[in-house]
Amino acid sequence: MPPLADRLRPKTLDEVVGQRHLLAPDMLLRRVVETGQIPNLIFYGPSGVGKTTVASILAKQAGKTLHRLNGTNMSTADIKAIVGELDTFAGMGGVLLYLDEIQYLNKKQQQSLLEFIEDGRITLIASTTENPYFYIYNAILSRCTVFEFKSVPSAEIAKAVRRAFAVMEQDKGRTIRVPDEVVAQISTGCGGDVRKAINAVELLALAAREADGELTVTAEDAAAAAQKSAMKYDREGDEHYDLLSALQKSMRGSDPDAAVHYLARLLEAGDLPSVCRRLMVCACEDVGLAYPQIIPIVKASVDAALQVGLPEARIPLADAVVLVATSPKSNSAYLAVDAALADIRAGRSGSIPRNLQNKHYDGADNARKGQFYKYPHGFPGRWVAQQYLPDALEGREYYHFAENKTEQAAKTYWDAVKRKSEP
């Protein structure tokens, strides 16, 4: 008999537990699926939350020849076999490739799919438990839409747990007494992983004790079955994102002790990619121009960590976290680009000034012919006053020097240069 989790696998999107932010009737993914046109998709999220199930449901609705591959054991030859089918009768309507664990494919294997994804002969639905922006080739990402699957809330898992116990009762032909505290223990202790919760139900039902003529599942047994999921719950649930937030805010707040503490908790949960991403963001956003050399230093630490993997990755990451936490801070460039983006999004832009344009021909309607660009290197101090912003934004200031040694040194330098150049 197949495992209980396989027997309970949903057959329609409405049966999927959780993921309402993607699958509710008014959500984007649901609306796309209902059109009958399946685009290239990447499903990203922790294990046991419905990625494979949803992909399987979509594949059945696509009306195309379906192939399934798993990145953990596939080879380039497997991809070539699918490509070889495209010009045959079986591939006339197109091929849908469901690729599980795509993060295990190397760059060459991923590149071999590009041409066929581009021209539509292969529709790709891929799933991954790792951040796709770290593990999937950029050219593949640019041709796919990424949807993030989240850990399933315990209230939703509880429904699946009760249904699983009901099926086990049918299998055994006997009533199984399941206290509410057992359902709660499994639902909250399996880290948002529906498959793990159902596996726990199957184990507990098989091992249920006889008491007063009926089978009973105890809270102690439920705790033992779910205890291995506690760290996964911390890593993938709300606390996971709280830890990432605490790590960045501790580095931003220049507290190396707190920063190292949260780093250790995240590494113990095994989330190396998220730590690396948050470190890079913090180096650029919070240290920034106060110590601009930190950006390549942190990047080198992140590269080293990803190359050696855990547990050794903790060493370069600790170096980087302490460096970021103890470095001077400036968000001046971050504020500048956000202010510029706000103007662009509000429609405030205007034409590029004539002196900056990359053209050398003036039409007959231009009364003042010529580009009039002043080459800064031809002037004292390598600077000359001229207009760079569009007319509509002339005089607008986005960047303001922050009060740190590096930026104040730059300000002093340019103030002196510009004063000398004044007529």
Side-chain angles (χ1 to χ4, degrees):
M1 183 179 294
L4 181 61
D6 283 345
R7 288 188 283 148
L8 291 178
R9 190 180 294 276
K11 302 296 190 296
T12 68
L13 294 180
D14 290 326
E15 294 177 0
V16 176
V17 176
Q19 311 311 328
R20 292 298 90 194
H21 66 293
L22 299 177
L23 303 178
D26 58 338
M27 295 293 104
L28 177 62
L29 179 58
R30 182 64 173 266
R31 299 201 312 269
V32 169
V33 171
E34 289 172 349
T35 67
Q37 301 295 318
I38 308 299
N40 298 307
L41 302 170
I42 294 176
F43 294 159
Y44 158 51
S47 300
V49 298
K51 300 188 302 298
T52 300
T53 296
V54 172
S56 298
I57 294 171
L58 300 190
K60 291 178 182 177
Q61 297 178 0
K64 297 183 178 183
T65 303
L66 174 64
H67 289 273
R68 297 172 182 267
L69 295 176
N70 191 295
T72 59
N73 55 24
M74 65 165 285
S75 66
T76 304
D78 295 318
I79 299 176
K80 290 181 178 178
I82 295 173
V83 170
E85 188 179 295
L86 295 177
D87 294 326
T88 67
F89 180 79
M92 288 181 62
V95 167
L96 190 147
L97 171 60
Y98 172 54
L99 183 50
D100 199 11
E101 305 290 358
I102 188 176
Q103 73 271 15
Y104 289 107
L105 269 64
N106 60 40
K107 184 176 180 179
K108 182 178 179 181
Q109 289 173 321
Q110 293 186 37
Q111 285 178 318
S112 65
L113 293 169
L114 282 177
E115 175 187 347
F116 309 101
I117 294 174
E118 186 75 44
D119 63 21
R121 286 186 287 171
I122 290 179
T123 299
L124 176 68
I125 300 180
S127 65
T128 175
T129 56
E130 302 291 352
N131 189 326
Y133 299 100
F134 278 95
Y135 287 92
I136 298 179
Y137 183 46
N138 285 336
I140 293 285
L141 280 175
S142 70
R143 290 160 175 80
C144 299
T145 302
V146 178
F147 287 97
E148 183 176 1
F149 283 60
K150 299 180 180 179
S151 296
V152 180
S154 58
E156 291 290 321
I157 292 182
K159 300 174 186 177
V161 168
R162 294 187 186 281
R163 186 158 66 98
F165 273 120
V167 172
M168 290 303 296
E169 283 185 329
Q170 295 175 2
D171 288 351
K172 297 178 76 68
R174 298 186 63 182
T175 299
I176 302 176
R177 190 168 70 85
V178 184
D180 289 341
E181 61 182 321
V182 168
V183 175
Q185 180 74 49
I186 298 172
S187 302
T188 59
C190 286
D193 186 329
V194 180
R195 181 172 56 241
K196 187 175 287 292
I198 293 175
N199 289 342
V201 168
E202 186 172 28
L203 175 67
L204 291 168
L206 292 173
R209 300 170 186 260
E210 182 103 24
D212 298 327
E214 64 179 1
L215 297 176
T216 301
V217 177
T218 66
E220 291 77 12
D221 285 344
Q227 66 180 348
K228 294 298 183 183
S229 301
M231 182 56 69
K232 183 181 185 302
Y233 181 75
D234 290 342
R235 184 182 56 167
E236 304 290 1
D238 289 341
E239 186 172 350
H240 162 70
Y241 297 101
D242 289 343
L243 281 173
L244 288 173
S245 177
L247 173 64
Q248 180 158 359
K249 288 173 180 173
S250 297
M251 289 189 290
R252 178 185 295 150
S254 303
D255 188 331
D257 298 308
V260 168
H261 169 78
Y262 294 120
L263 170 68
R265 288 173 63 170
L266 284 160
L267 293 181
E268 186 66 18
D271 192 2
L272 182 59
S274 294
V275 170
C276 292
R277 179 180 181 276
R278 196 56 63 107
L279 252 173
M280 288 298 304
V281 170
C282 196
C284 298
E285 178 183 345
D286 297 312
V287 177
L289 298 179
Y291 180 28
Q293 296 93 333
I294 199 173
I295 297 173
I297 293 173
V298 170
K299 177 63 165 60
S301 297
V302 165
D303 288 346
L306 292 174
Q307 185 172 11
V308 303
L310 290 169
E312 288 83 358
R314 74 190 189 282
I315 303 168
L317 291 179
D319 290 339
V321 163
V322 171
L323 179 63
V324 171
T326 56
S327 292
K329 305 297 189 294
S330 172
N331 67 344
S332 56
Y334 165 81
L335 294 176
V337 72
D338 276 4
L341 285 169
D343 273 349
I344 299 301
R345 290 164 183 166
R348 294 188 289 270
S349 57
S351 300
I352 295 173
R354 178 67 182 89
N355 60 308
L356 302 186
Q357 294 174 9
N358 185 31
K359 62 181 182 180
H360 305 279
Y361 171 74
D362 292 302
D365 58 338
N366 190 341
R368 187 169 181 261
K369 294 179 172 53
Q371 189 169 23
F372 309 107
Y373 172 63
K374 298 176 183 178
Y375 185 58
H377 292 286
F379 293 84
R382 313 288 180 177
W383 181 85
V384 61
Q386 63 183 321
Q387 181 179 335
Y388 290 97
L389 279 169
D391 290 343
L393 294 171
E394 187 176 4
R396 182 79 161 93
E397 291 186 8
Y398 296 114
Y399 173 68
H400 301 275
F401 292 96
E403 299 296 330
N404 60 75
K405 181 179 179 180
T406 302
E407 288 180 86
Q408 284 301 303
K411 181 178 185 301
T412 299
Y413 172 81
W414 284 111
D415 284 347
V417 169
K418 292 176 182 180
R419 276 197 305 269
K420 290 180 179 178
S421 301
E422 291 176 354

